[in-house]
Amino acid sequence: MSRAAIRYAKAVLSLAQDKKATEDVQKDMQSIIATVSGSAELRMVLSSPLIKSEVKLASLREIFKSTGEITQKLFDVLIENKRVNLLDDVAKQYIVLFDQLNNTQVAKVTTAVPLDKGLSAKVLAKIKELTGNEATIENVIDESIIGGFILRVGDLQYNASIANKLTNLRRELSN
């Protein structure tokens, strides 16, 4: 993550706090992350030096027309400073700062099949017990782990996958 993206995210959060709009901006940032990561075409437009700033700004305004005033101002500032290629990083960093502000963190849970509501609730309870903070779950599906799960919260990782257990067993047997 670039220093510039972090500075922009801090500025946006500060402005959002002043306007009491941190949650609205957070929803905008989630929308930006989902849209940018889902569109190779949009990423190309934002990073291309051949496409004029006015076109980039018009594209952002059209794609994200439902976003709030603060997010629209972010587009203006990034375009003006020729840093619009940082939009995705700024949005991701804003989410991190917003979560820190609210003592929430993102728990990345990798499973072979999608989590159901019951298991999600148990995972959230365990995270609260371990860290003392609330969390939101990001479920990543990876069939190569065979079964079980891998939980990553901040710097902590707990690997309870079948693939990991098989690897450990293979190591023990080869010694």
Side-chain angles (χ1 to χ4, degrees):
M1 191 73 54
S2 76
R3 282 191 183 133
I6 294 168
R7 283 196 304 272
Y8 282 113
K10 285 180 179 177
V12 170
L13 181 65
S14 177
L15 182 59
Q17 284 177 299
D18 291 348
K19 304 259 186 190
K20 309 240 182 295
T22 54
E23 287 185 25
D24 293 337
V25 174
Q26 190 248 9
K27 288 176 186 152
D28 290 350
M29 295 301 147
Q30 286 177 325
S31 170
I32 289 168
I33 293 167
T35 305
V36 172
S37 69
S39 172
E41 205 172 82
L42 179 57
R43 287 193 304 275
M44 188 274 304
V45 167
L46 295 177
S47 63
S48 174
L50 303 175
I51 297 174
K52 291 184 178 176
S53 295
E54 304 83 52
V55 173
K56 291 179 184 182
L57 184 58
S59 299
L60 289 173
R61 292 221 186 285
E62 181 60 30
I63 294 166
F64 300 108
K65 58 184 162 208
S66 64
T67 59
E69 178 189 350
I70 294 170
T71 304
Q72 293 291 327
K73 284 182 180 175
L74 173 64
F75 298 156
D76 294 339
V77 169
L78 290 175
I79 292 284
E80 188 178 310
N81 295 334
K82 304 211 180 313
R83 301 292 240 160
V84 75
N85 60 314
L86 295 177
L87 179 61
D88 191 46
D89 288 343
V90 172
K92 288 175 181 170
Q93 188 59 39
Y94 180 91
I95 299 289
V96 169
L97 295 171
F98 176 83
D99 287 345
Q100 286 173 352
L101 183 70
N102 294 297
N103 289 326
T104 303
Q105 53 202 347
V106 175
K108 194 171 188 178
V109 181
T110 305
T111 54
V113 295
L115 285 176
D116 62 18
K117 287 185 178 161
L119 195 52
S120 290
K122 287 179 183 173
V123 170
L124 288 172
K126 190 66 174 172
I127 294 166
K128 174 104 173 134
E129 179 187 315
L130 291 171
T131 65
N133 291 334
E134 296 294 326
T136 56
I137 290 182
E138 177 187 331
N139 188 198
V140 178
I141 310 302
D142 180 359
E143 293 174 3
S144 72
I145 71 167
I146 305 168
F149 65 93
I150 301 170
L151 171 64
R152 178 174 285 150
V153 183
D155 296 340
L156 302 172
Q157 178 172 313
Y158 178 71
N159 191 336
S161 67
I162 302 297
N164 185 52
K165 289 178 182 172
L166 289 172
T167 302
N168 290 340
L169 184 60
R170 195 174 301 125
R171 253 190 235 126
E172 284 179 30
L173 292 174
S174 67
N175 288 339

